[in-house]
Amino acid sequence: MEGGTRLSIRAIEDLARKALEAAGTDPDNAAPLARAVAQAERDGIPSHGLAYVPVYCEHVRCGKVDGRAEPTVGRPRPGLVRVDAATGFAHPAIDLGFKVLIPLARAQGVAMLGVVNSYNCGVLGHHVERLAEAGLVGLGFTNAPASIAPVGGARPVLGTNPFALALPDGAGSWRLLVDQSASVVAKSEAMARARSGEPVPEGWVLGTDGHPVTAPEAVLRGTMAPAGGPKGVGQALLVETMAALLTGATLGLHASPFSGTEGGPPRTGQGFVAFDPEAMAGAGFFAGLRDLAGAIEGQQGARLPGARRKAARARADAEGVLVPDRLLDRLKP
Amino acid sequence: MEGGTRLSIRAIEDLARKALEAAGTDPDNAAPLARAVAQAERDGIPSHGLAYVPVYCEHVRCGKVDGRAEPTVGRPRPGLVRVDAATGFAHPAIDLGFKVLIPLARAQGVAMLGVVNSYNCGVLGHHVERLAEAGLVGLGFTNAPASIAPVGGARPVLGTNPFALALPDGAGSWRLLVDQSASVVAKSEAMARARSGEPVPEGWVLGTDGHPVTAPEAVLRGTMAPAGGPKGVGQALLVETMAALLTGATLGLHASPFSGTEGGPPRTGQGFVAFDPEAMAGAGFFAGLRDLAGAIEGQQGARLPGARRKAARARADAEGVLVPDRLLDRLKP
């Protein structure tokens, strides 16, 4: 077991912000990203926590992302908001868009935000949570470089494209959070195993003939298996439509990789649709949510989606998070 | 092989309309439902074709659906349309809502229709196709009586809740159609096998302990396995939110069955969100769709979702559809 240091969420955020700024990210862009990094550590999702910060810094330095970008907002239609992230980080662009989206969704009943010329948005659920904290139903979509093949094919055409849904509790927090990719497992998980020379479990990755592969060299050349087979491809198509086709962002098919330093900015996109929960249903929305959540939580062994993140947060707030010393060394300026 | 008669799509529609009217459905309500029945036969989906008409007729007679209902439309917010189906068929209620939704989505960029006090809407894809034929991106959701258990639980809380997505081709038709339930297979398929005393394939149905079952008696008491495990439950939650929580329709948890004559109207719901494809993306929408569709269709063995229905339609238009004589006998007044 390697050595580690227990840090508070606040200390993690400071550490992330300083590293991002040292790499050339301006303070306005570093702040929301550092908050997201700290939130991922708090959630028990270390892959999107401090471990990702050296990659963000490398991407600022090589120009895959512009640390000094100034996102701009447009209003193409009464129900739409569009933000051009200008090849900067997704987080400040989404923040800017939400300032317009939230009051608009309350007024219109439904409104959509599209973000283009963007980058990996980290944990998608973090963004829709904030819509739920503002009292809205938040639905989010983000696309990624192609790694899933179509049904019957073997060449990748769609990313592992997650969607996320957050439902408000009516008291400033969220009650239920779905955050799921279209693939059986995260691409990073399968590729990390293969690069270390380990075989991956059957069913995670499909080979160039479209059949499951487990050997490392075949995994590295393969495509990510869609969850539920054709239904995972269906989810990926829905997400590609909402995050890229409708917004005008770059398709996963054409996007440069999120990893490494090659290919310039990926210019992928995000789409968010926000709904006023009571505009059509009145008090029925919260009554229905109470019944549904109760029917799930009332079953032994069942839990509401998002419950694990909530529990991790309570633990992290009380105890802090153990960060490997090797990672802390990498984050020193 | 039992005997059958080859009928044109037009003849199938006439047959369905006459049977529905003879059961007590008024002409305005029977017409859109008869069109949907004919469309299902044309698509090669006989489960929602003429075979369903005796059930519709029985449901009109027993009061599970009101054949003489008059749906009413409301406009709770600038971006929202809400239709009360008044326990009538879903089809005329959706038609009424689309008359408002289509011009609204063009003007606003995005708009939503919620339908409450509704009924099974048949093939969900048929409805969103019409949004795409009107030049919009159409996204649809419909809920159903609970038959899927939550992750870690064993009692049903969500229906097999499908979503459907249709993308326009920009020339009055649709280019891509996703239409998928949240379960591994349709509930009707599993239950029909079990009732005939046949075991069902492993992975279709979960028993009262949450583990897969195949024996007929266990299947009849079981829950439908979600496609992709937890991710199928996530889809079902998304659909329940869009079709019931946001619209104010009855949850799958509380809805009376779609089959049999017990329990009165199910009062389930539908949600549709329509988007102007070019409002944010400009010409990028159709350029992107062309690239994506090309990358799928260019792979040997791969096909665009919806391609099978299109092929079935072309065949049915040329040759008609073979309808079993036993079914024709049941439809005689």
Side-chain angles (χ1 to χ4, degrees):
Chain A
M1 188 64 192
E2 64 176 332
T5 302
R6 196 161 283 281
L7 295 180
S8 72
I9 298 305
R10 185 58 173 278
I12 289 170
E13 184 177 330
D14 282 351
L15 203 59
R17 202 183 55 247
K18 281 175 189 153
L20 289 163
E21 290 185 10
T25 312
D26 69 25
D28 285 353
N29 288 329
L33 192 58
R35 270 198 300 276
V37 165
Q39 187 71 304
E41 292 286 356
R42 194 177 169 227
D43 281 1
I45 311 175
S47 61
H48 285 74
L50 285 172
Y52 215 122
V53 172
V55 178
Y56 291 143
C57 292
E58 182 181 48
H59 284 180
V60 170
R61 289 197 199 94
C62 77
K64 209 176 234 310
V65 66
D66 178 357
R68 306 195 181 279
E70 292 184 26
T72 54
V73 63
R75 288 290 315 281
R77 292 287 168 82
L80 300 177
V81 189
R82 187 173 192 248
V83 170
D84 184 335
T87 76
F89 284 111
H91 295 71
I94 293 169
D95 280 8
L96 180 67
F98 277 7
K99 279 186 196 147
V100 186
L101 179 71
I102 289 170
L104 192 64
R106 287 183 191 135
Q108 298 280 339
V110 58
M112 179 171 178
L113 163 66
V115 181
V116 298
N117 284 319
S118 189
Y119 177 80
N120 184 340
C121 71
V123 178
L124 184 62
H126 289 164
H127 304 287
V128 294
E129 277 180 26
R130 288 164 50 215
L131 297 174
E133 285 164 3
L136 300 168
V137 168
L139 185 54
F141 308 90
T142 185
N143 78 328
S147 63
I148 290 179
V151 178
R155 289 197 304 277
V157 294
L158 295 159
T160 54
N161 292 6
F163 83 82
L165 169 72
L167 304 188
D169 70 352
S173 188
W174 54 271
R175 183 75 178 97
L176 182 156
L177 175 68
V178 175
D179 184 356
Q180 63 184 48
S181 71
S183 53
V184 172
V185 295
K187 187 180 173 188
S188 55
E189 172 77 15
M191 295 304 150
R193 286 211 194 189
R195 274 192 294 265
S196 74
E198 246 184 285
V200 308
E202 172 126 358
W204 286 17
V205 174
L206 306 176
T208 49
D209 63 351
H211 293 108
V213 290
T214 59
E217 59 280 13
V219 165
L220 292 172
R221 289 196 313 271
T223 62
M224 297 306 299
K231 295 186 179 183
V233 177
Q235 174 185 323
L237 278 166
L238 170 62
V239 172
E240 197 74 4
T241 299
M242 300 299 295
L245 286 175
L246 277 176
T247 65
T250 301
L251 296 180
L253 196 59
H254 301 315
S256 69
F258 281 160
S259 57
T261 57
E262 301 298 310
R267 298 178 190 270
T268 45
Q270 286 85 35
F272 294 94
V273 192
F275 305 86
D276 181 327
E278 297 190 298
M280 283 196 278
F285 178 87
F286 290 107
L289 179 53
R290 199 167 46 237
D291 284 2
L292 182 57
I296 295 173
E297 291 176 331
Q299 297 189 42
Q300 199 172 7
R303 59 166 196 276
L304 221 50
R308 199 152 39 183
R309 287 193 193 173
K310 274 203 173 151
R313 283 178 197 186
R315 242 184 350 259
D317 289 347
E319 302 168 9
V321 171
L322 192 69
V323 180
D325 290 331
R326 205 170 44 169
L327 177 55
L328 290 175
D329 284 343
R330 289 185 68 196
L331 293 169
K332 279 184 188 146
Chain B
M1 188 67 192
E2 64 176 329
T5 303
R6 197 162 283 280
L7 296 180
S8 72
I9 299 304
R10 184 58 175 276
I12 290 170
E13 184 177 330
D14 282 351
L15 203 59
R17 201 182 57 246
K18 281 174 189 154
L20 288 164
E21 289 185 10
T25 313
D26 69 27
D28 285 352
N29 288 330
L33 191 59
R35 271 197 299 277
V37 164
Q39 187 72 306
E41 292 287 356
R42 194 176 168 228
D43 281 2
I45 310 175
S47 60
H48 285 73
L50 285 172
Y52 215 122
V53 172
V55 178
Y56 291 143
C57 292
E58 184 181 46
H59 284 178
V60 170
R61 288 195 200 95
C62 77
K64 210 177 235 308
V65 66
D66 178 357
R68 303 193 182 281
E70 292 184 27
T72 54
V73 64
R75 289 289 316 281
R77 291 288 167 83
L80 300 177
V81 188
R82 187 173 191 251
V83 171
D84 184 335
T87 76
F89 284 111
H91 295 70
I94 293 169
D95 280 8
L96 180 65
F98 277 7
K99 279 186 196 149
V100 186
L101 180 70
I102 289 169
L104 191 63
R106 288 184 191 133
Q108 298 280 338
V110 57
M112 178 170 178
L113 164 66
V115 181
V116 298
N117 284 318
S118 188
Y119 177 82
N120 185 340
C121 71
V123 178
L124 183 62
H126 289 164
H127 304 287
V128 294
E129 275 179 30
R130 288 165 48 216
L131 297 174
E133 285 164 4
L136 300 169
V137 169
L139 184 53
F141 307 89
T142 184
N143 78 328
S147 63
I148 290 180
V151 178
R155 289 197 304 277
V157 294
L158 295 159
T160 54
N161 292 6
F163 83 82
L165 169 72
L167 304 188
D169 70 353
S173 189
W174 54 271
R175 182 75 179 94
L176 182 156
L177 175 69
V178 175
D179 185 355
Q180 62 184 49
S181 71
S183 52
V184 172
V185 295
K187 185 179 174 185
S188 55
E189 173 75 16
M191 296 304 149
R193 286 211 195 188
R195 274 193 294 264
S196 74
E198 245 185 285
V200 307
E202 173 126 359
W204 285 17
V205 175
L206 305 176
T208 49
D209 62 353
H211 293 109
V213 291
T214 59
E217 59 280 14
V219 165
L220 292 171
R221 288 196 314 272
T223 61
M224 297 307 298
K231 295 185 180 184
V233 177
Q235 174 184 322
L237 278 166
L238 170 63
V239 172
E240 196 74 5
T241 299
M242 300 299 297
L245 286 175
L246 277 176
T247 64
T250 301
L251 296 180
L253 197 60
H254 302 314
S256 69
F258 281 159
S259 58
T261 57
E262 300 299 311
R267 298 178 190 270
T268 45
Q270 285 85 34
F272 295 94
V273 192
F275 305 86
D276 181 327
E278 298 191 297
M280 283 196 275
F285 179 87
F286 289 108
L289 179 54
R290 198 165 48 236
D291 283 2
L292 182 58
I296 295 172
E297 291 175 333
Q299 296 189 42
Q300 198 173 7
R303 57 167 197 277
L304 221 51
R308 199 152 40 184
R309 286 194 194 172
K310 272 203 172 150
R313 283 178 198 186
R315 244 185 347 260
D317 289 347
E319 302 169 9
V321 171
L322 192 70
V323 179
D325 289 332
R326 204 170 43 169
L327 177 55
L328 290 175
D329 283 343
R330 287 185 66 197
L331 293 167
K332 279 184 187 146

